[in-house]
Amino acid sequence: MKIALIQMKGTVENDENVAIAVEQIKVAAANGADFVVLPEMFSCPYKASNFPVYAQRDGEKNWQALSSAAKENGVYLVAGSMPEECEGKIYNTSYAFDRNGNQIAKHRKMHLFDCDIPGGAFFHESETLSAGNSVTTFETEFGTIGLMICFDIRFPELSRLMCDRGAKLVIVPAAFNMTSGPNWWEIMFRTRAADNQFFMAGCAPARDETASYVAYGHSIVTDPFGKILGELEEKTGILFCDLELDQADSFRSQYKILKSRRLDIYSLKETGN
């Protein structure tokens, strides 16, 4: 399969951001992409106070535009993430669509990003967002795919639960900042890939130095050995990578990390909805 990560720079206008995304989906499909991924909160400026203002319900215009883009271009689409309003709560939500535009997965960010770095970033998602409570995987013609959002990657339990469900690729719309990005972006993707012996793909916004929240960029794909297969820099662009997901099985047969676990001593149990 060929995956395309769209690293785009957003504006303050929801409709303009969606139009940019739809156009880039067309470009990715024209270059042979099977899977297309958008960045975290691509539809609005990444600021906690913006999320309730830009939030939409399931099935509203953003959802419709992205469903149509998947169908018209015949691609699987992980539509980054957007603020979702549901029963008075706001979520950081990622939708996945199949080649026919059908929604096949929905992930609400489970771990909300709060940080207060002296001389650096101050950001509290918990001021306006509620946390999701579901581990999200979905089935495709290429195998099982996991879906998480940004800060979710910092918690190894979530990746392992996806691994236990049979995921061979985990997709992560994310927006690390200029403190967390240089320190941990590559480390997180390489480590989660190597620990679970699957592919990881992280799609980030392009860097905008004038924004209130400056994203690191560097959209990335890593293989089950933890090797970086491709990575952008900070500017807008599309990262294309050809993946053979069955390589995950090959890697697992060579290095028997998962089979060597001592489940007689420790275990990880999935709970929640």
Side-chain angles (χ1 to χ4, degrees):
M1 59 171 278
K2 178 176 283 190
I3 191 169
L5 309 183
I6 295 174
Q7 186 165 290
M8 56 178 278
K9 186 182 292 185
T11 74
V12 298
E13 297 294 335
N14 174 88
D15 292 355
E16 185 176 351
N17 292 329
V18 173
I20 292 170
V22 168
E23 184 59 33
Q24 291 302 297
I25 292 166
K26 292 179 182 177
V27 173
N31 283 274
D34 298 293
F35 255 89
V36 183
V37 186
L38 299 174
E40 182 181 21
M41 287 296 182
F42 76 93
S43 64
C44 71
Y46 194 73
K47 187 176 182 180
S49 60
N50 283 336
F51 301 150
V53 177
Y54 285 77
Q56 297 182 22
R57 293 177 177 269
D58 284 359
E60 292 192 331
K61 63 179 181 179
N62 285 3
W63 188 100
Q64 293 173 10
L66 295 162
S67 170
S68 295
K71 181 177 181 179
E72 290 169 6
N73 292 283
V75 296
Y76 288 95
L77 173 63
V78 173
S81 78
M82 300 174 284
E84 174 211 357
E85 193 276 320
C86 181
E87 298 180 347
K89 294 182 178 181
I90 309 297
Y91 299 95
N92 184 344
T93 301
S94 180
Y95 299 97
F97 301 95
D98 67 14
R99 296 184 189 271
N100 295 312
N102 300 311
Q103 181 182 309
I104 53 174
K106 172 181 173 178
H107 179 71
R108 290 171 170 166
K109 191 173 187 177
M110 296 176 65
H111 304 91
L112 300 183
F113 177 60
D114 289 358
C115 73
D116 187 0
I117 303 168
F122 176 88
F123 200 91
H124 283 204
E125 281 189 326
S126 61
E127 290 178 355
T128 55
L129 294 178
S130 296
N133 60 4
S134 297
V135 180
T136 305
T137 57
F138 58 96
E139 300 304 316
T140 73
E141 66 203 71
F142 304 103
T144 304
I145 310 294
L147 177 58
M148 62 175 70
I149 300 173
C150 200
F151 198 46
D152 286 340
I153 198 176
R154 299 301 299 260
F155 302 88
E157 298 89 346
L158 181 55
S159 298
R160 180 51 55 87
L161 287 170
M162 292 179 176
C163 175
D164 287 343
R165 286 187 177 189
K168 296 182 180 180
L169 165 67
V170 172
I171 295 175
V172 192
F176 278 37
N177 59 49
M178 292 304 296
T179 299
S180 59
N183 284 315
W184 302 304
W185 177 260
E186 288 187 5
I187 291 172
M188 287 293 99
F189 281 91
R190 297 185 68 186
T191 300
R192 296 292 168 262
D195 282 349
N196 296 287
Q197 298 178 294
F198 53 30
F199 293 87
M200 296 284 295
C203 186
R207 191 177 307 168
D208 182 355
E209 299 286 356
T210 68
S212 59
Y213 182 95
V214 181
Y216 180 57
H218 287 259
S219 295
I220 191 171
V221 177
T222 52
D223 75 7
F225 273 165
K227 177 183 176 182
I228 297 174
L229 297 181
E231 183 175 3
L232 297 179
E233 296 184 349
E234 77 282 3
K235 298 178 181 179
T236 58
I238 302 178
L239 175 62
F240 292 96
C241 277
D242 291 310
L243 307 180
E244 179 55 63
L245 296 194
D246 286 343
Q247 286 181 351
D249 295 326
S250 175
F251 286 26
R252 290 168 181 172
S253 69
Q254 297 174 51
Y255 294 89
K256 305 182 187 302
I257 297 170
L258 299 176
K259 288 186 177 180
S260 298
R261 289 180 292 173
R262 290 294 305 274
L263 299 182
D264 57 320
I265 298 174
Y266 53 78
S267 63
L268 182 61
K269 181 181 179 182
E270 183 174 336
T271 60
N273 298 325

